[in-house]
Amino acid sequence: MRKKVTLKQLARELNLSISTVSKSLKNDAEISQKTITRVHELADFYNYKPNALAVSLKSNKTKTIGVILPEILNHFFAKVLYGIEQEASERGYKIVTCITNESYDKEVGYVEMLNYSSVDGFIISLSQETQILNKLEHFKELKRDNVPIVMFDRVTEDVECDKVIVDDKKASETAMNYLIETGCKKVAVITTIGDLSVAKLRLEGAKEAIQANDEVSLVELSIKNTESPEALIEQFLKDNTIDAVLGLDETAAAVSINMSHKLGYKIPEDISVIGFTDGLLAKYSYPKLTTVSQHAEDLGIKAARTLVDQLDNYEENYQNKTEIVKTSLIVRDSTY
């Protein structure tokens, strides 16, 4: 493998100053065309690339964004990441992505590592363990160092930063009202992410819809991520007479459909089902799942745009903002 050539080596071989070589590579008008051609020819011969660290030190920017996700197998986060990369790339930024797998310790470690690597800013969705522990000092340290942060989906009000969210409470209220409007009277609210802020907001929205209608009753099942959802949801369906399920996450809704089939219930004739996140489980379940789409790709684009706008247009008295992405109820075959 050919050894990487430096600016200093190019200058030595051409018998030019480092400054002249640098300006020639940028086609500076101060330099003669003859010299520019000589420099480019030698640079092309050696396949010269500028030292990224040196460039970043000079400009005080790396044009790199740190993205920290709680998981990646979830279709929602995969689509958000796709949106982030799209927007960042269009704006001339690269991303470095880390997956915490819902661990607080990993989240802290990745924040420290990326900050040490001098990323220009962060796009973050909190891990489940971080939300349970409510330990946020690693983010507050970033803010004290004036490192820009955009939180999305799983956010906290205890860290002052830009946020991009969906209106989970309103979305859940809309989904519950749809079940009520189609004649459902006994609704189960089931979640496998009960410890997360988004699930708590969705539960609030469902309850508000129920409170406005005395004829409708509600039962709840909240499952921890360490528990088996199949067995618990199956037993819950055996123990409760219901005509609808509002799954506060895609897994809860998909498993509810499977366990209903197992117990001999027809969907939606006996039990209507609505879930959250318009992912592969929703599209390929049988019957196809009515779901709340959070427009994950748009959310990712907005998160990246918010961060890059702040990075490219520095304001000394910058005011943090919260942007809300509207959801859509996509009606399929699991409801009337």
Side-chain angles (χ1 to χ4, degrees), residues 62-118:
T62 63
K63 301 289 280 186
T64 306
I65 294 169
V67 180
I68 300 181
L69 304 177
E71 58 173 308
I72 198 60
L73 297 179
N74 183 306
H75 184 80
F76 170 76
F77 288 114
K79 292 292 285 184
V80 170
L81 183 61
Y82 179 77
I84 291 172
E85 196 284 329
Q86 267 192 311
E87 181 66 16
S89 180
E90 286 183 12
R91 300 286 293 273
Y93 283 77
K94 293 181 172 60
I95 65 170
V96 178
T97 306
C98 297
I99 314 299
T100 65
N101 287 320
E102 307 289 11
S103 165
Y104 164 77
D105 288 334
K106 287 182 180 179
E107 186 177 275
V108 172
Y110 286 138
V111 166
E112 291 176 350
M113 179 195 75
L114 292 174
N115 195 36
Y116 182 77
S117 302
S118 300

Side-chain angles (χ1 to χ4, degrees), residues 51-282:
N51 184 297
L53 179 59
V55 172
S56 69
L57 289 172
K58 189 172 182 178
S59 66
N60 203 30
K61 290 183 72 173
T62 63
K63 301 289 280 186
T64 306
I65 294 169
V67 180
I68 300 181
L69 304 177
E71 58 173 308
I72 198 60
L73 297 179
N74 183 306
H75 184 80
F76 170 76
F77 288 114
K79 292 292 285 184
V80 170
L81 183 61
Y82 179 77
I84 291 172
E85 196 284 329
Q86 267 192 311
E87 181 66 16
S89 180
E90 286 183 12
R91 300 286 293 273
Y93 283 77
K94 293 181 172 60
I95 65 170
V96 178
T97 306
C98 297
I99 314 299
T100 65
N101 287 320
E102 307 289 11
S103 165
Y104 164 77
D105 288 334
K106 287 182 180 179
E107 186 177 275
V108 172
Y110 286 138
V111 166
E112 291 176 350
M113 179 195 75
L114 292 174
N115 195 36
Y116 182 77
S117 302
S118 300
V119 296
D120 295 337
F122 285 84
I123 298 175
I124 296 165
S125 186
L126 299 177
S127 73
Q128 180 167 318
E129 194 172 19
T130 298
Q131 289 206 307
I132 293 171
L133 297 173
N134 196 34
K135 294 171 70 173
L136 304 163
E137 187 58 30
H138 49 308
F139 297 124
K140 293 177 181 179
E141 285 182 8
L142 290 179
K143 294 304 297 177
R144 285 194 289 269
D145 291 339
N146 295 315
V147 178
I149 303 171
V150 175
M151 287 188 177
F152 74 91
D153 189 53
R154 303 184 192 176
V155 304
T156 175
E157 295 304 315
D158 294 332
V159 177
E160 293 185 7
C161 65
D162 288 323
K163 299 176 179 72
V164 181
I165 60 174
V166 298
D167 192 343
D168 285 290
K169 184 176 177 181
K170 180 65 176 177
S172 183
E173 186 177 356
T174 298
M176 181 62 79
N177 281 330
Y178 183 83
L179 290 172
I180 294 170
E181 289 165 6
T182 54
C184 300
K185 302 291 185 184
K186 299 176 181 178
V187 183
V189 176
I190 301 176
T191 180
T192 65
I193 56 170
D195 290 320
L196 299 181
S197 57
V198 291
K200 292 171 183 176
L201 288 168
R202 292 168 192 173
L203 181 58
E204 284 181 32
K207 287 182 174 179
E208 285 195 9
I210 292 290
Q211 288 170 2
N213 196 313
D214 296 334
E215 297 180 359
V216 180
S217 60
L218 180 149
V219 289
E220 302 173 38
L221 175 63
S222 181
I223 301 169
K224 309 295 182 185
N225 68 340
T226 56
E227 299 171 315
S228 169
E230 290 89 350
L232 291 171
I233 290 175
E234 181 182 1
Q235 190 60 49
F236 180 80
L237 294 174
K238 287 180 180 178
D239 294 341
N240 293 276
T241 301
I242 61 170
D243 56 17
V245 170
L246 175 57
L248 301 187
D249 54 273
E250 192 175 39
T251 299
V255 173
S256 294
I257 286 180
N258 290 341
M259 293 304 103
S260 295
H261 286 319
K262 182 178 179 180
L263 295 172
Y265 296 117
K266 294 181 179 179
I267 308 294
E269 291 85 351
D270 298 321
I271 300 177
S272 293
V273 182
I274 294 180
F276 270 75
T277 303
D278 188 31
L280 296 178
L281 289 178

